[in-house]
Amino acid sequence: MASTYTPNDALTLVQQYAHGAPLAVPYPYVVDQVNSVIWRYYPWGWSIASLNPTNVYQGTQGQGTPPTGGAQFTGNQQDYVITGAWFNFPINLLFNNTTNNNFGGGFVVQQTPNGLLNSGGNATVNTLLPHNLPLGTTLAGLTGTIVCDADTSWNGVTLTITSIPTNTQILGTVSGSPSSASGGSGLPTILRPLKMRIARLDTNPPEYRELAALGNLSPELSRTAGIDTMKAVGWFSSQSFFRFDASPQVSLGQIIQLLGEYQILPTKITNATLSTPFPFPDEYFNVLDAGILWRVYQLLDDPRAGTAQKSKNGSMVVQYTGQFAVFMDLLAEMARTEDLSSGDEFRYPEQPLGVGRSYWPGLYGV
């Protein structure tokens, strides 16, 4: 399933269909629009990424006393921010033969002031919210990794911990790291969450509970829920955070994390990326080609572009004509082909019994 075709390849072929239509100016816009249509149509395998695993707050909640530690959640807080860079620290289930082992997962790094600082190989990580790493030199010699930073020169940099002075700071050494200060304005690349789950990782085997993805969760700071009573999580793209249906409840020594998969935003196609191969396999190149021809016909006011008409006859029915119909038929075939490996969670083109709750979570009241 190699990906070798580029936007330039598609435009060259489509110009032959359109008899050399002069499209020098709208080249990237046409391809970008069609690529976006394809991207939004289905959660393609090449468009899915995993959420950075992040610890849920550790301590006693709902008793009026704010915790001294915690990971991404502090004192009855539902909302989990996902902007900026991340410091990923490996889980140690029995570090120093202690049971106080809840210091794995990822910690969001501050954006401003600079969350990542490097001076002569000595680096400082300032976290957005209090982390739960043991203070002092307990973790000296262990490592963590910087990911998702807006300054890509920081991505993949390994930091070896020297000391942890506070619950919002991590000191360490790095090699071959950038000299610029960062921390990322790293905006999330989430188009839509697909499958979300909450996990308890201090047990053997680990326990996982699937969560419904809901977009209308209201603040709920008085009620708490554990791994077996947490039911849903929502993504609020306007402010870049996830919200649980209740404040997470985590007992001492437990490792509770928010995990999941999401569909990333498509990469914008510009003049600078016209020679960059598409992420989808070459066997689907004809789908993009058909979509670009449809948009070219529209630009030329060619009636062969076709139309879409909706009519309500028991359910909403959409009828396509012309090149638009050719494109949509190929797109549906592409989705059906990819859907074969998904069981019956999704069924295209119109089977409502297969609609996944990640897309229409209220379908069965869950």
Side-chain angles (χ1 to χ4, degrees), residues 301-348:
D301 293 325
D302 192 318
R304 289 177 293 178
T307 60
Q309 183 176 6
K310 289 187 176 182
S311 60
K312 191 168 185 178
N313 182 21
S315 63
M316 191 63 71
V317 176
V318 184
Q319 293 182 322
Y320 304 101
T321 62
Q323 184 61 30
F324 194 17
V326 174
F327 171 49
M328 294 306 294
D329 182 63
L330 289 173
L331 188 55
E333 180 186 29
M334 178 178 173
R336 285 193 297 269
T337 302
E338 289 296 307
D339 192 52
L340 289 175
S341 61
S342 301
D344 58 359
E345 182 177 357
F346 297 98
R347 290 180 184 170
Y348 276 78

Side-chain angles (χ1 to χ4, degrees), residues 10-21 289-290 293 296-297 304:
L11 290 165
T12 299
L13 181 58
V14 167
Q15 277 191 308
Q16 302 305 310
Y17 290 136
H19 304 294
D289 183 59
L293 183 58
V296 167
Y297 281 156
R304 289 177 293 178

